[in-house]
Amino acid sequence: MKKVIFAFLICLVFLPRVNASEENLISAELVKCDSLSNIWLSINNDIKRIHLLAFETESGFLDDEINNYICSILSSSSKIQIEYDIEKKDKYNRELVYLYVDGKILQNELLSLGYGQVDNVLHNYRYLSDFCNIQKEAIIKKSGIWNYPNIEEKYCNSGVAIEKFLEEDEEKQEDTTKINKTLKFIVFLNSLILIMILLIKKGN
């Protein structure tokens, strides 16, 4: 009998904790998505501009890919939910949220793809440990922004050496692009000269 009572008390203690995360989730609907920094949701019949809590991307050649991915996954989702943490708004009056898309935290997905990193951490948010572990795996795989030149971790300290493109490599890429453009122009000029010669011959 004592064992039964003890088991019952254990259930009472832990049951609220198991369901706490679900209870904190708030249903939302997508209103507009132009980019990571411009996502609007309808939350409790109010249209709010939201921002992903503890997550920032880095400006670079992946900007369009990242923004298109985020808006695409939100547009095609069947269920969108948000979860708040310690603070609900930033200085720009955006709702600071964990954004759930079909039951999964979008921050986890974006960190895994290397589409951003853990940043703007002002408090001990509840998922920081998970975020940093996912970020570490992305760095090891050299995913996404972790191929940017001079990229550094801003909050997490994964202890992984980040291999960076040298500025010389970037200069070589720029030089190659310039050479290709020059060659295309030369081919175009030669074609134009040839056409002019043919027209002159026709005229004679």
Side-chain angles (χ1 to χ4, degrees):
M1 185 65 181
K2 288 182 180 180
K3 289 182 179 180
V4 173
I5 294 172
F6 179 75
F8 177 72
L9 290 174
I10 290 293
C11 289
L12 287 178
V13 170
F14 287 102
L15 186 59
R17 295 182 184 178
V18 172
N19 295 331
S21 181
E22 277 297 323
E23 289 175 359
N24 290 335
L25 298 184
I26 301 169
S27 295
E29 291 182 8
L30 179 65
V31 175
K32 180 181 179 182
C33 180
D34 294 329
S35 64
L36 172 64
S37 59
N38 196 28
I39 301 173
W40 295 80
L41 299 179
S42 175
I43 305 167
N44 293 328
N45 296 320
D46 285 334
I47 296 176
K48 305 282 188 180
R49 186 182 178 200
I50 64 105
H51 187 71
L52 301 185
L53 185 63
F55 177 88
E56 290 292 339
T57 190
E58 301 286 326
S59 182
F61 60 85
L62 289 174
D63 287 357
D64 289 341
E65 180 181 328
I66 293 169
N67 289 329
N68 289 338
Y69 178 83
I70 290 168
C71 291
S72 174
I73 199 170
L74 284 172
S75 299
S76 61
S77 66
S78 58
K79 182 171 68 173
I80 297 174
Q81 297 165 295
I82 64 164
E83 181 183 9
Y84 291 109
D85 206 314
I86 296 170
E87 54 193 331
K88 291 189 174 183
K89 292 187 178 182
D90 65 8
K91 60 183 180 181
Y92 304 109
N93 205 35
R94 297 177 299 186
E95 306 285 307
L96 295 173
V97 302
Y98 302 111
L99 186 56
Y100 288 74
V101 180
D102 293 331
K104 297 179 181 178
I105 300 179
L106 184 57
Q107 280 98 319
N108 286 344
E109 180 74 11
L110 298 178
L111 288 168
S112 178
L113 292 169
Y115 279 173
Q117 67 167 304
V118 181
D119 193 14
N120 292 334
V121 177
L122 303 178
H123 303 282
N124 186 25
Y125 303 131
R126 64 177 64 101
Y127 300 125
L128 286 179
S129 179
D130 292 339
F131 285 178
C132 285
N133 287 334
I134 294 170
Q135 180 169 301
K136 181 177 180 179
E137 291 300 316
I139 296 171
I140 292 171
K141 294 175 183 176
K142 303 175 190 175
S143 301
I145 66 169
W146 302 110
N147 280 312
Y148 280 2
N150 304 317
I151 186 74
E152 294 179 357
E153 288 188 279
K154 293 182 178 177
Y155 171 78
C156 303
N157 184 15
S158 302
V160 179
I162 301 172
E163 292 188 25
K164 304 172 183 178
F165 287 129
L166 298 175
E167 290 182 5
E168 294 176 5
D169 294 333
E170 282 194 307
E171 289 173 3
K172 285 178 183 177
Q173 289 177 2
E174 288 177 5
D175 289 341
T176 302
T177 303
K178 287 178 183 177
I179 291 168
N180 289 336
K181 286 181 179 178
T182 304
L183 289 173
K184 285 179 181 178
F185 179 74
I186 291 171
V187 170
F188 170 76
L189 197 60
N190 285 338
S191 300
L192 193 61
I193 291 169
L194 183 60
I195 290 169
M196 289 177 68
I197 290 171
L198 291 172
L199 289 173
I200 291 169
K201 283 184 178 180
K202 264 191 176 181
N204 294 333

